[in-house]
Short mmCIF file of all heavy atoms in Angstrom, two decimals:
data_model
loop_
_atom_site.label_atom_id
_atom_site.label_comp_id
_atom_site.label_asym_id
_atom_site.label_seq_id
_atom_site.Cartn_x
_atom_site.Cartn_y
_atom_site.Cartn_z
N VAL L 1 163.14 145.15 117.96
CA VAL L 1 163.67 143.87 117.70
C VAL L 1 163.68 142.99 118.92
O VAL L 1 164.56 142.22 119.07
CB VAL L 1 165.03 144.01 116.96
CG1 VAL L 1 164.89 144.59 115.54
CG2 VAL L 1 166.02 144.75 117.89
N GLY L 2 162.56 143.00 119.70
CA GLY L 2 162.40 142.21 120.74
C GLY L 2 163.19 142.55 122.14
O GLY L 2 163.17 141.63 123.10
N ALA L 3 163.87 143.68 122.07
CA ALA L 3 164.54 144.07 123.28
C ALA L 3 164.04 145.45 123.64
O ALA L 3 163.47 146.18 122.87
CB ALA L 3 166.03 144.13 122.95
N SER L 4 164.37 145.85 124.91
CA SER L 4 163.98 147.17 125.38
C SER L 4 164.98 147.74 126.39
O SER L 4 165.55 146.88 127.15
CB SER L 4 162.60 147.09 126.03
OG SER L 4 162.55 146.35 127.17
N VAL L 5 164.91 149.00 126.42
CA VAL L 5 165.86 149.80 127.44
C VAL L 5 164.82 150.85 128.07
O VAL L 5 164.24 151.54 127.35
CB VAL L 5 167.04 150.36 126.83
CG1 VAL L 5 167.81 151.11 127.79
CG2 VAL L 5 167.89 149.45 126.15
N ASP L 6 164.88 150.87 129.45
CA ASP L 6 164.09 151.85 130.11
C ASP L 6 165.15 152.66 131.20
O ASP L 6 165.83 151.79 131.86
CB ASP L 6 162.93 151.32 130.82
CG ASP L 6 161.82 150.80 129.80
OD1 ASP L 6 161.18 151.68 129.36
OD2 ASP L 6 161.83 149.68 129.69
N GLY L 7 165.04 153.84 131.32
CA GLY L 7 166.01 154.51 132.20
C GLY L 7 165.35 155.80 132.66
O GLY L 7 164.54 156.53 132.20
N LYS L 8 165.86 156.12 133.97
CA LYS L 8 165.56 157.34 134.70
C LYS L 8 166.72 157.76 135.53
O LYS L 8 167.53 156.84 135.98
CB LYS L 8 164.27 157.24 135.60
CG LYS L 8 163.01 157.12 134.82
CD LYS L 8 161.80 157.11 135.72
CE LYS L 8 160.47 157.06 135.01
NZ LYS L 8 159.33 157.05 135.98
N GLY L 9 166.94 159.03 135.78
CA GLY L 9 167.95 159.53 136.54
C GLY L 9 168.06 161.05 136.76
O GLY L 9 167.27 161.74 136.21
N GLN L 10 168.99 161.37 137.53
CA GLN L 10 169.10 162.75 137.88
C GLN L 10 170.53 163.05 138.36
O GLN L 10 171.14 162.41 139.05
CB GLN L 10 168.21 163.27 139.04
CG GLN L 10 168.14 164.66 139.28
CD GLN L 10 167.03 165.09 140.33
OE1 GLN L 10 166.56 164.22 141.04
NE2 GLN L 10 166.62 166.25 140.24
N PHE L 11 171.08 164.26 137.93
CA PHE L 11 172.36 164.65 138.27
C PHE L 11 172.42 166.24 138.43
O PHE L 11 171.71 166.95 137.93
CB PHE L 11 173.38 164.37 137.04
CG PHE L 11 173.61 163.00 136.85
CD1 PHE L 11 172.94 162.28 135.88
CD2 PHE L 11 174.71 162.34 137.44
CE1 PHE L 11 173.10 160.87 135.61
CE2 PHE L 11 174.95 160.97 137.28
CZ PHE L 11 174.13 160.27 136.36
N THR L 12 173.23 166.51 139.40
CA THR L 12 173.63 168.04 139.61
C THR L 12 175.16 168.16 139.20
O THR L 12 175.77 167.25 139.25
CB THR L 12 173.45 168.43 141.11
OG1 THR L 12 174.20 167.66 141.88
CG2 THR L 12 171.91 168.24 141.43
N PHE L 13 175.46 169.42 139.01
CA PHE L 13 176.84 169.62 138.44
C PHE L 13 177.34 170.68 139.30
O PHE L 13 176.96 171.84 139.56
CB PHE L 13 176.80 170.17 137.00
CG PHE L 13 176.13 169.00 136.09
CD1 PHE L 13 174.79 168.90 135.95
CD2 PHE L 13 177.04 168.13 135.52
CE1 PHE L 13 174.36 167.82 135.15
CE2 PHE L 13 176.58 167.16 134.72
CZ PHE L 13 175.18 166.95 134.47
N GLY L 14 178.75 170.38 139.60
CA GLY L 14 179.56 171.37 140.47
C GLY L 14 180.38 172.14 139.47
O GLY L 14 181.48 171.70 138.99
N ASN L 15 180.00 173.43 139.10
CA ASN L 15 180.79 174.21 138.06
C ASN L 15 182.04 174.66 138.63
O ASN L 15 182.91 175.31 137.85
CB ASN L 15 179.85 175.38 137.61
CG ASN L 15 178.75 174.82 136.74
OD1 ASN L 15 178.83 174.60 135.56
ND2 ASN L 15 177.49 174.53 137.36
N THR L 16 182.42 174.63 139.84
CA THR L 16 183.70 175.08 140.37
C THR L 16 184.71 174.04 140.21
O THR L 16 185.96 174.39 140.40
CB THR L 16 183.51 175.46 141.89
OG1 THR L 16 183.14 174.31 142.65
CG2 THR L 16 182.50 176.54 142.03
N ASP L 17 184.27 172.92 139.77
CA ASP L 17 185.42 171.74 139.69
C ASP L 17 185.28 171.22 138.18
O ASP L 17 184.24 170.46 137.86
CB ASP L 17 185.03 170.63 140.68
CG ASP L 17 186.04 169.48 140.49
OD1 ASP L 17 186.82 169.41 139.58
OD2 ASP L 17 185.88 168.50 141.12
N THR L 18 186.18 171.62 137.35
CA THR L 18 186.14 171.00 136.07
C THR L 18 187.51 170.24 135.62
O THR L 18 187.86 170.06 134.56
CB THR L 18 186.26 172.33 134.94
OG1 THR L 18 187.25 173.25 135.29
CG2 THR L 18 184.84 172.94 135.13
N THR L 19 188.14 169.78 136.86
CA THR L 19 189.35 168.96 136.63
C THR L 19 189.12 167.43 136.93
O THR L 19 189.74 166.61 136.40
CB THR L 19 190.42 169.46 137.51
OG1 THR L 19 189.98 169.50 138.91
CG2 THR L 19 190.72 170.95 137.18
N THR L 20 188.17 167.19 137.87
CA THR L 20 187.79 165.77 138.21
C THR L 20 187.43 165.04 136.90
O THR L 20 187.86 163.89 136.69
CB THR L 20 186.75 165.71 139.29
OG1 THR L 20 187.20 166.40 140.47
CG2 THR L 20 186.50 164.22 139.72
N PHE L 21 186.63 165.68 136.14
CA PHE L 21 186.25 165.12 134.86
C PHE L 21 186.58 166.37 133.90
O PHE L 21 185.78 167.30 133.69
CB PHE L 21 184.65 164.87 134.83
CG PHE L 21 184.23 163.80 135.76
CD1 PHE L 21 183.83 164.03 136.93
CD2 PHE L 21 184.12 162.47 135.20
CE1 PHE L 21 183.54 163.01 137.84
CE2 PHE L 21 183.57 161.43 135.97
CZ PHE L 21 183.42 161.77 137.22
N PRO L 22 187.76 166.12 133.28
CA PRO L 22 188.43 167.21 132.48
C PRO L 22 187.41 167.74 131.51
O PRO L 22 186.83 167.06 130.58
CB PRO L 22 189.70 166.60 131.89
CG PRO L 22 189.95 165.49 132.87
CD PRO L 22 188.68 164.98 133.40
N GLY L 23 187.27 169.12 131.46
CA GLY L 23 186.55 169.69 130.40
C GLY L 23 184.96 169.85 130.80
O GLY L 23 184.33 170.45 129.89
N MET L 24 184.60 169.36 131.90
CA MET L 24 183.18 169.44 132.21
C MET L 24 183.00 169.69 133.78
O MET L 24 183.80 169.16 134.46
CB MET L 24 182.46 168.21 131.70
CG MET L 24 182.75 166.95 132.41
SD MET L 24 181.75 165.51 131.98
CE MET L 24 180.16 165.91 132.79
N PRO L 25 181.92 170.27 134.16
CA PRO L 25 181.72 170.32 135.62
C PRO L 25 181.32 169.03 136.25
O PRO L 25 180.94 168.08 135.51
CB PRO L 25 180.38 171.23 135.63
CG PRO L 25 179.71 170.99 134.43
CD PRO L 25 180.87 170.80 133.35
N ARG L 26 181.91 168.83 137.42
CA ARG L 26 181.76 167.46 138.19
C ARG L 26 180.31 167.22 138.40
O ARG L 26 179.63 167.80 139.10
CB ARG L 26 182.44 167.61 139.53
CG ARG L 26 182.57 166.17 140.20
CD ARG L 26 183.06 166.16 141.59
NE ARG L 26 182.04 166.77 142.53
CZ ARG L 26 182.15 167.88 143.18
NH1 ARG L 26 183.30 168.64 143.14
NH2 ARG L 26 181.22 168.34 143.94
N PRO L 27 179.80 165.97 137.81
CA PRO L 27 178.44 165.47 138.11
C PRO L 27 178.39 164.79 139.39
O PRO L 27 179.31 164.09 139.85
CB PRO L 27 178.26 164.71 136.79
CG PRO L 27 179.52 164.06 136.56
CD PRO L 27 180.54 165.16 136.88
N ASP L 28 177.17 164.73 139.99
CA ASP L 28 176.82 164.03 141.18
C ASP L 28 175.37 163.50 140.89
O ASP L 28 174.44 164.35 140.63
CB ASP L 28 176.91 164.69 142.38
CG ASP L 28 178.43 164.85 142.95
OD1 ASP L 28 178.96 163.92 143.45
OD2 ASP L 28 178.99 165.90 142.71
N GLY L 29 175.08 162.21 141.03
CA GLY L 29 173.78 161.66 140.85
C GLY L 29 173.77 160.28 140.25
O GLY L 29 174.80 159.60 140.47
N GLN L 30 172.70 159.69 139.85
CA GLN L 30 172.69 158.31 139.42
C GLN L 30 171.67 158.28 138.35
O GLN L 30 170.64 159.01 138.26
CB GLN L 30 172.36 157.39 140.39
CG GLN L 30 170.97 157.48 141.20
CD GLN L 30 170.75 156.45 142.34
OE1 GLN L 30 171.60 156.32 143.10
NE2 GLN L 30 169.63 155.91 142.23
N ILE L 31 171.82 157.18 137.53
CA ILE L 31 170.80 156.88 136.44
C ILE L 31 170.55 155.38 136.66
O ILE L 31 171.35 154.48 136.92
CB ILE L 31 171.32 157.14 135.10
CG1 ILE L 31 170.32 156.58 134.05
CG2 ILE L 31 172.67 156.37 134.84
CD1 ILE L 31 170.76 157.16 132.61
N ASN L 32 169.32 154.90 136.55
CA ASN L 32 168.91 153.53 136.79
C ASN L 32 168.36 152.99 135.40
O ASN L 32 167.51 153.73 134.77
CB ASN L 32 167.71 153.48 137.75
CG ASN L 32 168.13 154.00 139.09
OD1 ASN L 32 169.04 153.54 139.78
ND2 ASN L 32 167.43 154.95 139.76
N LEU L 33 168.90 151.96 135.08
CA LEU L 33 168.49 151.36 133.70
C LEU L 33 168.04 149.92 133.83
O LEU L 33 168.62 149.23 134.66
CB LEU L 33 169.81 151.32 132.81
CG LEU L 33 170.26 152.61 132.43
CD1 LEU L 33 171.76 152.52 131.74
CD2 LEU L 33 169.49 153.45 131.51
N THR L 34 167.00 149.55 133.03
CA THR L 34 166.57 148.27 132.85
C THR L 34 166.64 147.88 131.49
O THR L 34 166.00 148.53 130.63
CB THR L 34 165.16 148.08 133.40
OG1 THR L 34 165.05 148.59 134.86
CG2 THR L 34 164.58 146.68 133.27
N VAL L 35 167.25 146.72 131.21
CA VAL L 35 167.49 146.13 129.88
C VAL L 35 166.79 144.85 129.80
O VAL L 35 167.07 143.89 130.54
CB VAL L 35 168.85 146.11 129.42
CG1 VAL L 35 168.99 145.55 128.10
CG2 VAL L 35 169.53 147.43 129.63
N MET L 36 165.85 144.65 128.79
CA MET L 36 165.10 143.32 128.73
C MET L 36 165.42 142.79 127.35
O MET L 36 165.41 143.61 126.33
CB MET L 36 163.56 143.49 128.97
CG MET L 36 163.19 144.05 130.26
SD MET L 36 161.47 144.18 130.59
CE MET L 36 160.86 142.55 130.34
#
């Protein structure tokens, strides 16, 4: 419908830390998005 989204990214996960983000291992990384 005339719009678009493009994205790329990468994350690593610290499985020894599941409290910073409750219920999941702590992620580190980034995602780049372009919306037109």
Side-chain angles (χ1 to χ4, degrees):
V1 293
S4 67
V5 178
D6 291 283
K8 291 185 177 182
Q10 186 173 19
F11 292 91
T12 59
F13 296 86
N15 287 276
T16 59
D17 180 1
T18 56
T19 58
T20 301
F21 293 86
M24 65 173 290
R26 188 190 73 241
D28 284 283
Q30 70 179 40
I31 181 172
N32 301 305
L33 297 170
T34 301
V35 182
M36 300 179 64

